Amino acid sequence: EADIYQTPRYLVIGTGKKITLECSQTMGHDKMYWYQQDPGMELHLIHYSYGVNSTEKGDLSSESTVSRIRTEHFPLTLESARPSHTSQYLCASTMGTGGNEQFFGPGTRLTVL
Amino acid sequence: AQKITQTQPGMFVQEKEAVTLDCTYDTSDPSYGLFWYKQPSSGEMIFLIYQGSYDQQNATEGRYSLNFQKARKSANLVISASQLGDSAMYFCAMREGWVGGGADGLTFGKGTHLIIQP
């Protein structure tokens, strides 16, 4: 069982609010990822990190930002939430490269009213 | 162009039958990996099986096997003896470019919604 956690699991918030989605893993993985998934659709990579102080943008452009100050922690922040940000956000981590599976957290379902 | 194509948006299968979920991919990178994940209605992603581009044999994990046809760029998932609990979304995904220091995040297909009927 993967030790990767996301909070909150569900969030309903009004337009313009600042939000932070938390992601933590206890496996000591260097690489961490954020994916966005609209209902019934595929996942898209929006951010990734190779390790502490490393953050990169993924394939899908996103208004969110991320930080990686500690190995185990990779939070995602939206400075001003909009209805277009309504989606599921999934955090993942992996030990290394190649064939190592990515372990996923349970996801955060975000609804912006 | 789509890097991962899953042509079956939905499938209905009788319990205990074998199921094949199709996946084709597109890459020019000689080093790549192919993954299958299961996503139940609760939303979490469950890793099922992995196939590397240089692996000589098809991957197997319990009731799951991957029919890897490299020349056709196809990586179909086979589930033997399906169970009611297999009902879920199934995603094929690819990782490429890590040898050159690329992002190595996964690129996902649109998924197949599998429903197992009693």
Side-chain angles (χ1 to χ4, degrees):
Chain A
E1 189 171 319
D3 296 321
I4 181 164
Y5 310 99
Q6 290 186 245
T7 57
R9 292 292 311 278
Y10 303 91
L11 179 62
V12 181
I13 202 163
T15 296
K17 300 291 187 182
K18 178 180 178 179
I19 60 170
T20 297
L21 308 184
E22 301 289 347
C23 175
S24 295
Q25 50 93 6
T26 58
M27 298 173 282
H29 289 170
D30 285 330
K31 295 191 173 185
M32 296 189 73
Y33 310 82
W34 276 102
Y35 293 87
Q36 182 176 344
Q37 183 185 28
D38 291 336
M41 303 295 288
E42 69 267 46
L43 285 73
H44 291 283
L45 181 69
I46 52 173
H47 297 284
Y48 62 97
S49 167
Y50 289 128
V52 172
N53 294 325
S54 154
T55 60
E56 304 287 345
K57 290 191 178 296
D59 303 323
L60 180 69
S61 176
S62 173
E63 294 170 342
S64 59
T65 58
V66 292
S67 62
R68 189 89 182 276
I69 298 173
R70 302 197 314 267
T71 297
E72 62 271 21
H73 195 213
F74 191 40
L76 180 146
T77 298
L78 276 165
E79 289 293 332
S80 179
R82 295 208 302 264
S84 61
H85 296 139
T86 295
S87 191
Q88 172 159 254
Y89 294 84
L90 290 145
C91 181
S93 72
T94 189
M95 180 180 299
T97 59
N100 290 299
E101 67 175 278
Q102 290 192 7
F103 294 94
F104 281 81
T108 294
R109 292 185 193 261
L110 172 66
T111 301
V112 183
L113 302 175
Chain B
Q2 285 281 340
K3 286 199 170 186
I4 297 287
T5 302
Q6 294 181 253
T7 59
Q8 305 151 311
M11 286 185 72
F12 289 87
V13 173
Q14 288 295 120
E15 190 180 8
K16 299 180 185 176
E17 288 184 353
V19 181
T20 297
L21 304 181
D22 295 341
C23 173
T24 57
Y25 60 92
D26 182 27
T27 181
S28 57
D29 196 319
S31 297
Y32 55 90
L34 297 157
F35 300 77
W36 277 93
Y37 281 85
K38 173 184 177 182
Q39 187 178 43
S41 56
S42 52
E44 74 267 32
M45 296 291 284
I46 301 168
F47 168 76
L48 296 178
I49 198 166
Y50 165 79
Q51 181 84 42
S53 58
Y54 296 117
D55 293 344
Q56 295 297 315
Q57 294 191 321
N58 287 346
T60 60
E61 289 285 348
R63 293 188 300 116
Y64 305 106
S65 61
L66 201 152
N67 184 1
F68 182 46
Q69 298 188 39
K70 195 171 182 177
R72 294 186 175 187
K73 293 189 175 179
S74 129
N76 297 341
L77 177 71
V78 179
I79 306 174
S80 63
S82 59
Q83 303 170 355
L84 296 178
D86 293 333
S87 294
M89 283 291 290
Y90 288 80
F91 290 97
C92 181
M94 178 171 64
R95 170 186 277 157
E96 57 184 334
W98 69 82
V99 173
D104 85 356
L106 297 177
T107 301
F108 285 84
K110 293 186 181 298
T112 295
H113 190 190
L114 176 65
I115 297 174
I116 308 298
Q117 297 175 312

